[in-house]
Amino acid sequence: MTPSLKILFLAAEAVPFIKVGGLGDVAGSLPQALRALSVDHNGDECIDVRLVIPFHGAIQRQDYVLRPLANFTVPHASGPIYAEVLETEVNDMRVYLISGPPIHKDAPAYSTDTSVDGFKFTFFSLAALELARNLGWVPDVIHANDWHTAPAIYALSVNRDPFFKNTVTVLGLHNLPYLGVGTGPAMGDFGLPPASEFTRMNSDHTWSELPQWADHIPLPLALLTADHIVATSPTYAKEILTPEFGSGLEDFLRTRADSISGILNGIDTHHWDPKRDPHLVANYTIDTIPTRAANKEAILREFGLKPDPHIPLFAMISRMDPQKGVDLVPDALRQISSVSEPDDQPWQTIILGTGVPTIETAVRRLEVDFPDRVRTAIRFDSPLSHRIYAGADALLIPSRYEPCGLSQMIAMRYGCVPIARATGGLSDTVQDHAQRECSTGFLFSDATSEDLAAAMLRALAVYAEPEKWRSLQLNGMSQDFSWERFARQYLDLYQNLTEKT
Ligand code: ADP
């Protein structure tokens, strides 16, 4: 059977090859989930989804069976640049790894030097298109993600290659503020002009105006030219149209509002499964949730805090970055301590995270201020994060913006109740205790320590009523955050878009 839909998925990173951030999870999981959906009852594939990533030096080549697939050159102002493509499979899905001089074997996946990354990712984006041509494989959909692969979408508009004339383009928007600033010169060297220059030379082409400052930056150019834009949550898709979240592009994005939608990311429900998680002292399910208490006792002992089931345990597991609002936590903890009588309404807190040194220092200081209550682990520690999700009562997520967020979904799956700012994907996945019947957590509106503290006080009050708290946990644990659910929404979108062409 010939697959009815061909999708080329482009990303700068993907699990299991390389993961630096959440994009790696999405690019590893979504194509696989689409493939799983597309295998029909006879085992035939209805869609053919292929993933293409750069062959970063950090990818352990000995872990994969890599076959040479194609060699070609990518035109550049200084002369053609040679590209080599290796092919492998993950669960029978084809994966293409592109290498060439701009993708240095001894360089990290991302550099702090924008010219290095601009050169690398523009080369990669154009090589991915050239690969499809070289294979004679015409994708129905090119799904590029974030600024790194945005040049592929822009290039299709600029070059108008007949090979791709029926291909629709989808831009996955995972974090708007990362626009790819500084990539203009590299794009120019690869034959991708600023939008204004292109429209001047092609008077038949009418594009709604990008702000002048954005007209040679890859993400805005793909926002301008993609057939469709998918933000990683329905709320974030609306928020980016406002000055608070629009990174200066909100007026322009409003002109594209009809082509913007939001689809949540899923979580890997096999990896994040309290029933089988090998990192826990006691595995549990929604039916055996009282067993969870052993994990709380274990994590408190591990951190040298008093193991007392009556004391609520707050936790935080996060990058220490202003985006995440970690800096609001110290003041919020001080506020809930001055409001509540210490003996009356005790609490404990464990914070795991690493990032901006000043935020790390402020968080560490809490251990001095609250020696009996607060412990911190300033590092990235995945097994520890599992133990904390399984042991803590509530997870603090005071993000200033949150395109989707995974930690709230993981927390709910583990019976750890999220206390989150009502923004982006947090709004779409957490149902506030006060407002919904099937509530799963606590939401607050402003990114201030006062609002966070008020939500924590609400949580403390509910924690004092164990039945109510238990129903919050059970509601959270019964949510479906599997990739299958969200991959179905992507498939519907691809089908709608390709039917229109
Ligand atoms: P973002 O991708 O913006 O950092 P998400 O909520 O989407 O935020 O995903 C964060 C992921 O990283 C979650 O799986 C969380 O458990 C994990 N994480 C964050 N900080 C740490 C840490 N210090 N140690 C272990 N895991 C962490």
Side-chain angles (χ1 to χ4, degrees):
M1 180 179 143
T2 312
S4 55
L5 195 61
K6 288 179 276 173
I7 300 162
L8 189 63
F9 198 92
L10 274 61
E13 54 174 294
V15 166
F17 300 94
I18 180 162
K19 174 183 160 164
V20 179
L23 175 63
D25 288 321
V26 177
S29 301
L30 174 56
Q32 291 286 353
L34 284 163
R35 235 199 121 257
L37 279 186
S38 80
V39 178
D40 72 12
H41 302 301
N42 302 322
D44 291 325
E45 280 176 46
C46 324
I47 69 170
D48 180 359
V49 55
R50 304 183 187 188
L51 170 68
V52 54
I53 58 172
F55 194 1
H56 297 293
I59 294 176
Q60 304 293 315
R61 63 180 306 148
Q62 70 277 7
D63 293 350
Y64 308 95
V65 179
L66 302 173
R67 294 178 301 278
L69 177 71
N71 295 303
F72 47 79
T73 56
V74 176
H76 186 265
S78 63
I81 301 182
Y82 183 77
E84 184 188 7
V85 185
L86 300 173
E87 179 187 37
T88 189
E89 283 89 29
V90 177
N91 300 332
D92 291 336
M93 182 185 76
R94 278 182 223 220
V95 181
Y96 301 129
L97 297 125
I98 294 183
S99 61
I103 304 169
H104 283 290
K105 282 284 161 263
D106 52 357
Y110 303 106
S111 139
T112 46
D113 183 338
T114 50
S115 67
V116 170
D117 275 4
F119 183 44
K120 178 195 300 185
F121 289 117
T122 308
F123 167 77
F124 168 70
S125 300
L126 298 181
L129 299 180
E130 187 52 41
L131 171 65
R133 277 187 216 104
N134 192 283
L135 298 177
W137 185 79
V138 185
D140 300 300
V141 179
I142 287 185
H143 185 147
N145 292 278
D146 282 351
W147 79 262
H148 321 99
T149 51
I153 292 182
Y154 183 56
L156 290 187
S157 289
V158 167
N159 296 330
R160 290 186 265 175
D161 179 344
F163 183 83
F164 293 107
K165 74 176 186 308
N166 293 323
T167 299
V168 299
T169 53
V170 173
L171 174 68
L173 187 62
H174 303 264
N175 204 333
L176 179 61
Y178 294 86
L179 302 171
V181 173
T183 305
M187 285 197 298
D189 288 345
F190 279 106
L192 299 177
S196 53
E197 191 179 307
F198 179 73
T199 40
R200 233 185 357 262
M201 293 180 318
N202 296 270
S203 50
D204 60 321
H205 217 89
T206 47
W207 274 336
S208 53
E209 281 291 309
L210 267 182
Q212 184 64 38
W213 61 264
D215 104 327
H216 210 195
I217 301 177
L219 190 69
L221 289 168
L223 290 166
L224 176 73
T225 52
D227 292 306
H228 195 87
I229 297 154
V230 187
T232 51
S233 66
T235 297
Y236 193 58
K238 293 192 197 106
E239 286 175 339
I240 58 172
L241 309 181
T242 66
E244 186 181 353
F245 300 96
S247 297
L249 294 170
E250 55 278 4
D251 292 341
F252 156 71
L253 284 170
R254 278 199 294 276
T255 69
R256 297 237 52 203
D258 292 346
S259 303
I260 302 176
S261 58
I263 300 178
L264 286 165
N265 294 330
I267 55 172
D268 180 340
T269 47
H270 295 287
H271 179 77
W272 295 108
D273 184 359
K275 185 176 177 185
R276 311 194 168 77
D277 192 327
H279 302 295
L280 311 189
V281 295
N283 289 109
Y284 57 97
T285 67
I286 193 162
D287 298 318
T288 60
I289 191 165
T291 313
R292 188 177 188 277
N295 295 301
K296 178 171 177 182
E297 183 177 338
I299 195 77
L300 288 167
R301 286 194 191 285
E302 182 177 338
F303 276 88
L305 288 168
K306 183 175 153 194
D308 179 344
H310 302 294
I311 303 178
L313 173 62
F314 297 119
M316 182 146 201
I317 302 170
S318 178
R319 284 187 290 121
M320 299 222 172
D321 181 276
Q323 177 201 339
K324 298 292 181 182
V326 193
D327 49 304
L328 305 176
V329 173
D331 271 354
L333 287 175
R334 288 189 186 98
Q335 285 165 40
I336 66 167
S337 308
S338 60
V339 170
S340 57
E341 291 296 318
D343 296 333
D344 199 11
Q345 209 171 19
W347 50 265
Q348 294 165 320
T349 298
I350 294 174
I351 301 177
L352 168 64
T354 176
V356 176
T358 49
I359 304 178
E360 290 181 352
T361 305
V363 165
R364 269 207 187 95
R365 200 172 305 130
L366 285 167
E367 287 188 323
V368 179
D369 294 352
F370 298 102
D372 303 329
R373 294 180 174 215
V374 177
R375 293 290 181 276
T376 63
I378 307 297
R379 59 181 187 270
F380 192 93
D381 187 337
S382 204
L384 175 57
S385 75
H386 286 242
R387 300 196 293 279
I388 296 176
Y389 284 119
D393 294 302
L395 191 74
L396 306 177
I397 318 170
S399 304
R400 291 196 164 81
Y401 74 97
E402 194 60 80
C404 178
L406 298 176
S407 62
Q408 79 279 14
M409 299 191 234
I410 300 167
M412 284 185 262
R413 189 156 164 78
Y414 279 66
C416 177
V417 174
I419 300 175
R421 168 134 192 262
T423 184
L426 298 170
S427 286
D428 293 322
T429 51
V430 179
Q431 324 247 325
D432 185 77
H433 177 66
Q435 292 179 6
R436 315 260 184 142
E437 231 171 60
C438 185
S439 56
T440 53
F442 299 86
L443 289 172
F444 60 95
S445 54
D446 290 343
T448 60
S449 57
E450 288 77 14
D451 263 30
L452 170 60
M456 292 168 79
L457 285 172
R458 286 202 292 137
L460 289 178
V462 177
Y463 190 81
E465 299 184 67
E467 272 179 35
K468 286 192 181 166
W469 190 265
R470 181 53 45 92
S471 81
L472 277 177
Q473 291 179 296
L474 297 180
N475 289 343
M477 289 182 80
S478 45
Q479 302 294 305
D480 175 11
F481 294 123
S482 66
W483 264 110
E484 183 186 338
R485 179 180 154 203
F486 304 117
R488 235 172 250 291
Q489 296 176 21
Y490 274 103
L491 197 49
D492 287 347
L493 172 74
Y494 297 150
Q495 279 165 344
N496 283 337
L497 289 169
T498 51
E499 272 161 23
K500 278 189 214 149
T501 59

